[in-house]
Amino acid sequence: MALKFNSGNPEALLNEIVQPRPDWFAMDLIANLLPRLVSAFDQISQPIDGADAFLEWLESGAVETKYEELAPDRQGIRGLVGEYPRHAGLRDLAEREECSDKRLQVVAYVINTTSAWRQELVPSEKTFFEKRVDGAWRALRLLSEPALAKVPKCADDVERFEKHFARVNEHLDQRQFEEQDRRYLDELHRFFKFYLGEGKFVTYQSDKPKLQRRELQKIGDWKGLDSDVDSEIESVQGLVHITLPQDSERARQEHHDAGNAPEELMNESVLISQRGAALNTERGETPSIGLRKQQPKRAAYRRANSFLPGRWESLNDYERGLVLKALFENKMGSENTRLHVLLILLTGRSLESISETVVVQNRSQVPDNPQKNKPGCIYLVRDDQAWAGFVAEPPERRKLAKKWAPHMEVTNKLFIGPIPDVFWQILRPRVEPVARRARKKDRILFANNLSTESVAEEIAIEIKKINKSTGSRITLKRIQTCVFEGLIHQTTDTVDASLVTGRTLPTGQSANLYYHTRAVETLAADYVDVVNTWLVNLGLSSPSMAPANLDFGLPRVGSPFCVRLEVMRDVVSRLRAQIAEYRKTAYSRANIRRFHNLFTAYAILQVMWSTGFRAVRDPIAHPYEFNERRGFVIIADKVDDNLGHSRLVYLPEVVIDQLRRYETHRQHMKLRLNEVGVEAPIETFFVFLDAKLQSEFATPKRLADEIQWTFPWPLNVNRHTLRGFLRDQGVPGYLVDVFMGHWGVGTEPLAKFSSLDLFEMKNRIVPATAALLDELGFGVEAGLDA
């Protein structure tokens, strides 16, 4: 791909090499560099045809002559770097006192490659091509000499050169070079990578053999990366197939058959079919690099969605004792700093929230809802010797309609936690005078002119002193997580810990907040146990944590859609009574249909209240998903019937008996419908019948239509009620999450390294759900086969 020119027009070769601006700015300097550049083409074995004639033309002074002729039109350097990158690069090299032969060789290689690339482009690719050329010339101008030495020797075969360059970049010692050098090496390598067709948008108009080489290079079977079986990073087993983008119709079908995610259906980048991960070819990723990058990302995502107590971000007993000792001995800097650290430790709230702490005399002065300008502040209640804060809530939640409110449990947004005497002694000198002034409205604890940044700096200094003298690793973040981690140990439930501390849960567990309800008194008792344990570990006598005059009198906190049990008990009673009435008259076609549909609705409700099933289509999609002998059912309610997010739920005996009765009734209905010439029902476990006795799927709308006369609220109140009920029955939080289907990437209950014990789950869950069904009055109803 050597440069060629007409010996009768040497200026054409000059324009090809320099691509100058029309006014030939600084061309006199560049002309002095051109003989060395022509020699560089020879050194990389890509000589210019007719180079001798070109050099003679340069020596004749023709460049200087035209340079002088264009002098009146010259306007300085504006637009040179951005619009004429090659001209700018050669001018920069020409002005240097010393320009190495290696840099000129790379320059010659880039010029030759650019010339060949431009001949193969289609007009639509021009902008993208220019972007890569700009990056290459930026690297040629700004790369340091040590970094430039890492560029491989320029070879005739660009593919071999690019592979060598890729290996150099991959094994580059990051400590030897500045960040900008590493970035410019990547930019230069990307130029050659995209020339070879690895770019996202680059296509070629070249000959067929070259296209075939590119297909062989990019499509085929690639061996997976081996990893330790105990590693947290998933290994890729077997072969991984690399697939290029295809026409949209064919690609859609292939992605659908392979089970790829919806967002990948229109992805125009290279796909690894086995994992469904896309290579970022625009940044020069190769299949091997792409696999290596995807594996740590998946592992990091799993860790981010896993709340494992006892990890580094929580203080151990010794470190927490150092912080408490510094607070008790008044060794935590100024009074403001000491109070900030103490309140962060006690509440688990952030420094910004603590800086907005408000003091009130009694609980009546605490608002019912968070203030818009201070949503996360806490309140110190002088009369109760306690602190109050608003519980964490999901980002979005449907509003409670007025017609639903009478049937639901009353919930609040406020948590109150008692403050032990030893901590209150530190707070009292500051709280008492402020509280005396808070007769009609609340008062702030800290002065308005107190900067949060200055407090943070002073806290960092004091913590550094403790770490230096003790060798510990205390941080403000770890102090803030003490209550949260303690509550997880105490309650085994991240949602209880989140309600107390206001801490946001990760993506995989945030759904719990939508459904959970808990009594404030129960949360406060758990909080008391956690803080009391800190003092006992210090060897202090256990003080009275809850003052005698602290009468909670608060409702539950959390979801407002928790139905009152006595109301649901009445619903079940009315349903059973109506089923008994319909059974007496189940002789005509219309009455048989009415009985069957209500009987089906009753069985579905029983399954929903015993499994936490969401109100979606087909509670039990197929009969084989109910295992009567083992006593469990497979629930696939989060996605669809392909079990993409399925869970195994053990059933109480009353539900097993009811489903057994329903299955017998369903088989009996098949025979009776066949007798009157109606087609057999659809092959799902639960089936409704329309006016013509034709089968209908058990959809939420169909279920709601059947029971709307006695069920005037959303169908999914069962989930809102179940989670809090199970926790009140003493079921550990992690088992409740498995039961409710609340998990994300990395927290799958039956995944690799999971420690879930199914027998423990059955022994803890089934008695609790059986108690709920008994409380609501669910019993076994017989079908028409009886």
Side-chain angles (χ1 to χ4, degrees), residues 108 218 366 460 505 584 633:
K218 297 178 65 175
V366 181
L505 294 173
K584 295 176 183 178
V633 65

Side-chain angles (χ1 to χ4, degrees), residues 165-438:
F165 205 162
R167 288 195 298 270
V168 169
N169 272 354
E170 185 177 355
H171 301 291
L172 196 67
D173 190 343
Q174 305 291 328
R175 298 167 297 179
Q176 295 182 0
F177 302 100
E178 298 291 338
E179 175 64 28
Q180 62 177 10
D181 278 337
R182 298 197 298 269
R183 186 169 67 250
Y184 295 143
L185 281 174
D186 289 339
E187 190 75 48
L188 186 59
H189 170 248
R190 193 174 297 121
F191 168 81
F192 295 100
K193 187 79 173 177
F194 277 57
Y195 166 72
L196 292 174
E198 298 293 338
K200 188 174 182 181
F201 303 109
V202 177
T203 56
Y204 286 88
Q205 291 181 328
S206 53
D207 56 303
K208 186 174 181 180
K210 184 170 184 179
L211 286 173
Q212 292 175 345
R213 288 200 304 272
R214 291 178 56 234
E215 293 297 318
L216 291 174
Q217 179 184 358
K218 297 178 65 175
I219 299 181
D221 291 332
W222 297 76
K223 290 185 179 180
L225 302 176
D226 296 329
S227 62
D228 186 0
V229 294
D230 295 325
S231 172
E232 193 175 16
I233 299 178
E234 298 177 2
S235 61
V236 180
Q237 302 296 333
L239 300 177
V240 180
H241 185 65
I242 308 301
T243 309
L244 279 175
Q246 304 169 31
D247 60 277
S248 58
E249 290 298 325
R250 182 180 174 188
R252 279 181 180 273
Q253 184 60 39
E254 290 189 359
H255 293 322
H256 178 75
D257 294 341
N260 288 326
E263 59 269 18
E264 293 173 345
L265 296 180
M266 297 303 294
N267 198 324
E268 294 300 327
S269 59
V270 178
L271 294 179
I272 303 177
S273 299
Q274 180 172 337
R275 291 291 176 187
L279 295 179
N280 194 345
T281 52
E282 186 176 355
R283 294 182 176 272
E285 281 191 5
T286 63
S288 60
I289 294 176
L291 285 175
R292 293 181 185 276
K293 286 186 176 181
Q294 288 297 326
Q295 290 173 333
K297 284 181 181 179
R298 285 194 294 269
Y301 191 63
R302 284 197 304 271
R303 289 193 298 269
N305 281 285
S306 299
F307 257 148
L308 301 179
R311 295 182 71 116
W312 180 88
E313 70 170 13
S314 60
L315 294 178
N316 55 38
D317 292 342
Y318 170 70
E319 293 170 327
R320 187 175 58 247
L322 293 176
V323 176
L324 291 171
K325 184 178 179 181
L327 291 172
F328 293 150
E329 296 179 358
N330 198 12
K331 294 181 179 179
M332 193 60 76
S334 65
E335 182 185 23
N336 285 328
T337 302
R338 187 186 183 201
L339 296 182
H340 274 83
V341 174
L342 175 60
L343 291 175
I344 290 173
L345 179 67
L346 289 177
T347 66
R349 309 296 171 114
S350 65
L351 177 63
E352 292 73 17
S353 297
I354 297 302
S355 299
E356 299 172 344
T357 300
V358 174
V359 177
V360 296
Q361 289 187 353
N362 52 67
R363 203 182 310 167
S364 63
Q365 294 176 282
V366 181
D368 295 331
N369 294 295
Q371 301 180 25
K372 292 184 178 180
N373 57 339
K374 297 179 180 180
C377 74
I378 66 168
Y379 296 82
L380 296 179
V381 187
R382 192 269 310 272
D383 293 350
D384 292 335
Q385 189 177 312
W387 66 273
F390 293 100
V391 298
E393 291 187 295
E396 295 181 2
R397 175 186 276 158
R398 73 163 69 174
K399 294 183 179 180
L400 182 65
K402 291 184 178 180
K403 63 179 181 180
W404 301 337
H407 309 288
M408 304 298 168
E409 294 277 4
V410 179
T411 56
N412 199 356
K413 297 181 179 181
L414 195 68
F415 168 79
I416 293 183
I419 299 178
D421 294 332
V422 289
F423 294 121
W424 189 254
Q425 295 303 322
I426 301 176
L427 293 169
R428 179 177 293 167
R430 176 69 73 91
V431 173
E432 286 290 347
V434 178
R436 283 194 292 269
R437 298 194 301 272

